Amino acid sequence: MLRFSSLIACSVLATGIVWGEDVRTAYQPHVFESEGKSLPYRLLAPARIEAGKTYPLVVFFHGAGERGADNEKQLVHGAKEFLTPERREKYPCFVLVPQCPNDKRWVEVDWGGLEHRMPEEPSEPMQLTFALLDRLVKELPVDARRIYVTGLSMGGFGTWDAIQRRPEFFAAAVPVCGGGDERLAEKIAHVPVWAAHGDQDTAVKPSRTTNMIAALEKSGGKPKLSMYAGVGHNSWSQTYASQEFFTWMFAQTRPE
């Protein structure tokens, strides 16, 4: 179990390498255990934790290629973008990066299909992530009104799934080249969403994103969309390298 005091210790130890951190050093390795099941994860803490302050928490869902049990591959894409000196200083936050097992998915659906219905129950890795999130919110100085979720490819599907299952929990979502259940758009129309996709993606059809955006707009939502011309499946590099993405996400606050 991760305690507040241990997080402070991790943060203090990291302060000497804040400007130019190695991603494997900055994101501390942990394993969450619940009811005989386990979930490896990495956690980035703010460079400095001040007494009495609370901080945003970002949940990052990796793609299919980063599945495993080494508790390291999930840091390959996106995680390092939170470590630039400017972002560490301007957006102090916790970043949670769980790792999905090889034989599981964040949401058990066909990624290549034109649509899907949300499974009745969340996948095992998603269930464990929700349980871990609930624990972290209680044990760490997390601002419960500023919890964000983002993910790429398989993790993009996971991002849509997470907000559709917990529509009142997240302050904003950034799903990248994923897809959700369009029939549930009304449930999440109030959630700030910025979705991204490459218009030449052959792994996950661009319509999975554009159809979700259209469904949200029809339900009264005001989502943002970045459709990258000439880009294939890798639409995440451009998204997470964008300063505008960070500025927008951290500006969102969930209403009381």
Side-chain angles (χ1 to χ4, degrees):
M1 183 179 296
L2 188 60
R3 297 293 184 185
F4 177 44
S5 57
S6 66
L7 210 346
I8 293 178
C10 291
S11 181
V12 170
L13 288 173
T15 54
I17 55 171
V18 167
W19 314 126
E21 295 161 292
D22 176 79
V23 67
R24 291 171 297 179
T25 303
Y27 285 82
Q28 296 291 308
H30 302 277
V31 177
F32 174 68
E33 297 181 350
S34 176
E35 299 180 352
K37 301 172 183 177
S38 62
L39 179 76
Y41 69 96
R42 292 282 184 142
L43 186 67
L44 176 71
R48 290 171 293 277
I49 296 177
E50 299 180 25
K53 289 191 64 175
T54 57
Y55 299 87
L57 186 153
V58 181
V59 185
F60 187 98
F61 288 120
H62 64 76
E66 294 75 63
R67 288 179 291 184
D70 65 347
N71 206 5
E72 187 169 314
K73 282 193 296 185
Q74 74 266 39
L75 300 176
V76 170
H77 301 299
K80 66 180 180 179
E81 299 296 346
F82 289 85
L83 298 179
T84 67
E86 178 185 1
R87 290 167 188 164
R88 284 290 262 163
E89 183 68 24
K90 191 172 183 179
Y91 309 116
C93 64
F94 295 100
V95 183
L96 169 65
V97 193
Q99 186 176 33
C100 183
N102 280 319
D103 60 344
K104 305 288 185 182
R105 302 184 180 197
W106 296 123
V107 51
E108 298 292 347
V109 296
D110 176 16
W111 305 320
L114 291 172
E115 62 178 8
H116 75 259
R117 289 185 179 273
M118 186 179 75
E120 185 175 344
E121 298 293 333
S123 70
E124 181 179 302
M126 185 63 75
Q127 290 180 29
L128 288 168
T129 299
F130 284 155
L132 172 58
L133 270 172
D134 291 338
R135 177 174 291 183
L136 292 179
V137 169
K138 291 179 180 178
E139 296 185 355
L140 302 179
V142 170
D143 183 346
R145 296 179 62 199
R146 299 181 69 200
I147 299 176
Y148 311 114
V149 58
T150 185
L152 58 96
S153 192
M154 180 183 77
F157 283 88
T159 299
W160 286 113
D161 191 68
I163 61 173
Q164 290 183 322
R165 293 186 187 278
R166 288 195 167 190
E168 305 303 329
F169 186 81
F170 297 100
V174 181
V176 181
C177 55
D181 187 340
E182 298 157 31
R183 301 166 187 82
L184 301 179
E186 188 175 355
K187 287 181 59 177
I188 58 171
H190 64 284
V191 180
V193 170
W194 186 349
H197 217 121
D199 69 354
Q200 300 301 308
D201 193 339
T202 57
V204 179
K205 296 175 175 58
S207 62
R208 295 308 312 268
T209 288
T210 55
N211 288 349
M212 281 301 302
I213 293 296
L216 288 173
E217 291 176 337
K218 185 178 180 180
S219 297
K222 297 181 180 179
K224 293 168 64 71
L225 171 64
S226 291
M227 184 60 65
Y228 304 127
V231 174
H233 192 47
N234 182 4
S235 48
W236 52 84
S237 292
Q238 191 168 342
T239 300
Y240 295 126
S242 168
Q243 181 57 41
E244 186 180 1
F245 152 67
F246 282 86
T247 300
W248 177 86
M249 184 176 71
F250 285 107
Q252 309 306 313
T253 302
R254 182 172 58 80
E256 293 285 359

